[in-house]
């Protein structure tokens, strides 16, 4: 699969698409987006594009679409034919494949939540897709649009601020200052090879900085980005292979917390579950707070171990983000496949954290047609209100949709759509903030 930055290519060499009888008659609202294996993208004005919500292929709604956000990335999808309707039969009957072309997907920048998946017909022998958040793309009057809504406008997550020309110099400077620190070695790999913003922030000296601590995990998440079975698509990141020492964690933390509005953030994409290292985390937090009152000490976790969470919280943790794909226990288990805990343990961790005044966010893994089902939305609103959750962070689940739906049961409840889901969350849980990023809760 190839990727291409925002833009499109049209030309006479593009594949010929069989048009419907009377092509040109009627009006296409959202033209199908097509590609070829050389990375060219174009619109087919005789075809109305389709999007996907769970297993349902349908026309997009106006409120589900936006002009392609700056810094979006386009993908063409090998072995997948885009679906749509000839203009004179828009929305009538089953969608048809645009033969001779490849489906197109958008990878959204941070702060944007997708509303529809790309709709495709998978061809025999098509490879599974890498771990990206695939979003439906369309054209309108020659301009690229995509299925998304903005859930947070945070300038600190602007891609132009990352991987800048001075990043290598900053990495060298901090590594020279602490040459034996293995945690900084891991963060260099994450910053250079994986493009991790939080790892880069450690070297830039700003905002949320990463502190991975755990090479092991107690869940088998379908979309884990650091560990996958051999038969699955390869993980985009290599998992941390060691447990850093107390001195290594504190050394990096004191460097980072010295900057304004800093978060020192345990639990990153390159590691397993940090609560499995709770005694080490608790000692590190106490040691940091003995040296400085500055900055937010934060934990990203699956929330699986309530008593371990209590130990870390009592050491002085300021905020916690708990990953969740569903507020319905059976749906949660189907994705996370927990080994030594259950959904009730996650809820208990939230109770403990809020009881100690810790800011709690949910990292909600979003898939259109799943999280926006009516039963899911109602269950989530109950959870937010019952547990007094401070924030929901909308996160596009990075996974091939076909693989995801092999293990996740489809909801039998009505699908509300993502915009309506957001409206109901705001109305039903007004104390809970909606966004996409961890806030600094201590100056």
């Amino acid at each position: 699969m190839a990727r291409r930055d925002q833009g499109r290519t049209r030309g006479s060499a593009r594949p010929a698409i069989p048009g419907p009888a009377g092509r040109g008659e009627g009006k296409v609202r959202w033209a199908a987006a097509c590609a070829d294996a050389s990375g060219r993208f174009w619109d087919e004005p005789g075809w109305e594009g389709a999007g996907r919500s769970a297993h349902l292929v349908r026309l997009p709604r106006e409120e589900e679409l936006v002009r392609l956000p700056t810094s979006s990335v386009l993908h063409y999808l090998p072995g997948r034919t885009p679906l749509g309707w000839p203009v004179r039969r828009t929305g009538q009957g089953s969608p048809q494949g645009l033969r001779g072309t490849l489906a197109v997907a958008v990878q959204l920048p941070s702060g944007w939540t997708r509303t529809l998946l790309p709709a495709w017909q998978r061809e025999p022998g098509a490879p599974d897709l890498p771990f990206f958040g695939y979003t439906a793309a369309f054209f309108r009057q020659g301009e690229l649009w995509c299925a998304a809504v903005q859930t947070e406008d945070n300038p600190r997550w602007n891609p132009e601020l990352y991987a800048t020309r001075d990043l290598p110099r900053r990495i060298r400077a901090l590594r020279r200052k602490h040459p034996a620190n293995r945690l900084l070695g891991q963060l260099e790999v994450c910053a250079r090879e994986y493009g991790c913003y939080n790892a880069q922030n450690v070297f830039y000296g700003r905002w949320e900085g990463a502190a991975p601590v755990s090479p092991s995990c107690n869940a088998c998440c379908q979309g884990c980005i650091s560990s996958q079975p051999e038969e699955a698509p390869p993980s985009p990141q290599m998992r941390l292979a060691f447990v850093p020492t107390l001195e290594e964690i504190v050394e990096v933390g004191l460097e980072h917390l010295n900057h304004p509005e800093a978060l020192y953030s345990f639990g990153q994409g390159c590691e397993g579950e940090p609560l499995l290292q709770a005694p080490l985390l608790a000692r590190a937090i106490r040691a940091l707070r003995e040296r400085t009152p500055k900055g937010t000490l934060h934990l990203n976790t699956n929330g699986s171990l309530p008593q371990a969470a209590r130990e870390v919280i009592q050491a002085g943790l300021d905020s916690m983000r708990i990953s969740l794909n569903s507020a319905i226990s059976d749906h949660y288990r189907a994705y996370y496949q927990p080994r030594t805990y259950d959904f009730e343990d996650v809820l208990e961790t939230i109770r403990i954290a809020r009881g100690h005044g810790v800011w709690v966010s949910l990292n909600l893994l979003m898939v259109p047609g799943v999280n926006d089902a009516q039963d899911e939305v109602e269950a989530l609103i109950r959870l937010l209100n019952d547990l007094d959750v401070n924030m929901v962070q909308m996160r596009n689940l990075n996974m091939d949709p076909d693989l995801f739906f092999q293990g996740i049961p489809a909801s039998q409840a009505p699908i509300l759509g993502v915009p309506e889901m957001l409206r109901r969350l705001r109305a039903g849980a007004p104390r809970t903030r909606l966004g996409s990023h961890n806030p600094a809760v201590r100056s």
Side-chain angles (χ1 to χ4, degrees):
M1 181 181 71
R3 301 194 297 171
R4 181 185 177 97
D5 287 334
Q6 180 175 335
R8 64 190 180 96
T9 302
R10 297 185 65 182
S12 59
R14 70 185 187 181
I17 309 298
R23 182 169 178 166
E25 299 176 13
K27 184 177 180 181
V28 173
R29 292 173 299 172
W30 303 103
C34 304
D36 63 22
S38 68
R40 296 176 304 149
F41 303 88
W42 66 88
D43 56 323
E44 276 302 323
W47 289 79
E48 191 89 39
R52 176 179 172 187
S53 176
H55 300 291
L56 175 66
V57 176
R58 62 169 174 82
L59 293 167
R61 303 170 188 139
E62 192 90 15
E63 68 173 354
E64 296 175 320
L65 302 177
V66 295
R67 287 181 175 84
L68 195 70
T70 302
S71 301
S72 297
V73 176
L74 294 179
H75 300 254
Y76 68 80
L77 307 180
R80 288 156 175 83
T81 302
L83 293 173
W85 288 269
V87 63
R88 296 186 66 188
R89 297 199 300 274
T90 296
Q92 299 176 18
S94 299
Q96 301 175 30
L98 281 73
R99 296 297 175 188
T101 73
L102 297 176
V104 176
V106 173
Q107 181 183 344
L108 294 164
S110 183
W112 292 86
T113 300
R114 65 185 170 186
T115 57
L116 289 172
L117 304 167
W120 62 62
Q121 179 177 312
R122 183 167 176 157
E123 304 301 331
D128 293 330
L129 296 175
F131 290 92
F132 293 115
Y134 300 98
T135 301
F138 303 88
F139 277 91
R140 186 172 197 172
Q141 298 178 347
E143 185 179 14
L144 265 167
W145 289 57
C146 66
V149 293
Q150 190 169 25
T151 42
E152 186 170 324
D153 183 10
N154 188 333
R156 293 177 178 177
W157 284 79
N158 184 342
E160 294 180 0
L161 300 177
Y162 294 88
T164 60
R165 293 177 64 180
D166 67 336
L167 178 60
R169 175 185 62 80
R170 289 176 174 273
I171 291 174
R172 289 193 299 270
L174 197 55
R175 293 298 308 276
R176 281 197 299 267
K177 190 174 181 180
H178 304 289
N181 193 302
R182 296 173 301 159
L183 182 54
L184 281 177
Q186 174 71 24
L187 294 176
E188 178 179 357
V189 171
C190 295
R192 289 182 181 271
E193 298 184 19
Y194 308 148
C196 174
Y197 286 5
N198 289 346
Q200 292 184 34
N201 280 339
V202 169
F203 299 104
Y204 285 120
R206 65 189 185 191
W207 311 331
E208 183 174 358
V213 296
S214 177
S216 57
C217 195
N218 55 356
C220 298
C221 302
Q222 285 189 331
C224 179
I225 61 173
S226 67
S227 179
Q228 287 291 329
E230 289 186 7
E231 66 273 12
S235 301
Q237 301 178 8
M238 292 292 291
R239 180 171 288 182
L240 178 74
F242 64 93
V243 177
T245 65
L246 174 66
E247 291 74 19
E248 288 171 325
I249 298 170
V250 172
E251 192 171 64
V252 176
L254 289 174
E255 287 280 355
H256 191 71
L257 291 169
N258 192 44
H259 302 285
E261 297 187 66
L263 287 88
Y264 194 42
S265 184
F266 306 105
Q268 301 296 311
C270 64
E271 66 174 307
E273 172 47 48
L275 283 178
L276 295 174
Q277 296 297 329
L280 173 63
L281 283 178
R283 292 199 303 274
I285 289 170
R286 289 192 181 95
L288 286 167
R289 282 294 173 240
E290 287 171 359
R291 302 280 295 276
T292 179
K294 296 180 179 179
T296 298
L297 295 175
H298 174 80
L299 175 66
N300 302 297
T301 173
N302 61 22
S304 55
L305 301 170
Q307 298 314 313
R310 187 190 301 274
E311 180 179 5
V312 174
I313 289 165
Q314 291 176 339
L317 191 72
D318 297 301
S319 66
M320 176 184 293
R321 186 178 73 182
I322 295 180
S323 291
L324 204 68
N325 72 309
S326 172
I328 298 174
S329 59
D330 289 346
H331 297 176
Y332 175 89
R333 294 187 198 99
Y335 174 79
Y336 279 87
Q337 303 179 80
R339 292 170 175 162
T340 58
Y341 72 96
D342 209 344
F343 185 63
E344 287 299 324
D345 295 305
V346 179
L347 302 183
E348 181 61 18
T349 294
I350 298 173
R351 291 187 189 97
I352 291 171
R354 291 299 297 131
H356 285 78
V358 170
W359 174 281
V360 172
S361 300
L362 299 185
N363 190 48
L364 185 63
L365 305 180
M366 289 286 295
V367 178
V370 177
N371 306 88
D372 52 341
Q374 183 170 318
D375 57 348
E376 290 278 359
V377 175
E378 291 173 351
L380 180 57
I381 289 172
R382 287 194 298 271
L383 187 156
L384 299 177
N385 289 325
D386 290 349
L387 300 181
D388 192 29
V389 173
N390 299 97
M391 184 177 187
V392 174
Q393 297 182 28
M394 318 299 284
R395 191 78 57 220
N396 299 314
L397 179 62
N398 292 336
M399 189 174 181
D400 184 331
D402 290 340
L403 284 180
F404 174 81
F405 285 110
Q406 286 180 13
I408 301 297
S411 176
Q412 301 304 307
I415 305 301
L416 304 174
V418 173
E420 177 63 17
M421 170 193 178
L422 296 176
R423 283 191 290 268
R424 295 198 183 192
L425 288 179
R426 292 185 177 105
R431 295 193 307 273
T432 301
R433 171 177 164 185
L434 298 184
S436 300
H437 309 108
N438 290 321
V441 298
R442 179 195 286 251
S443 62

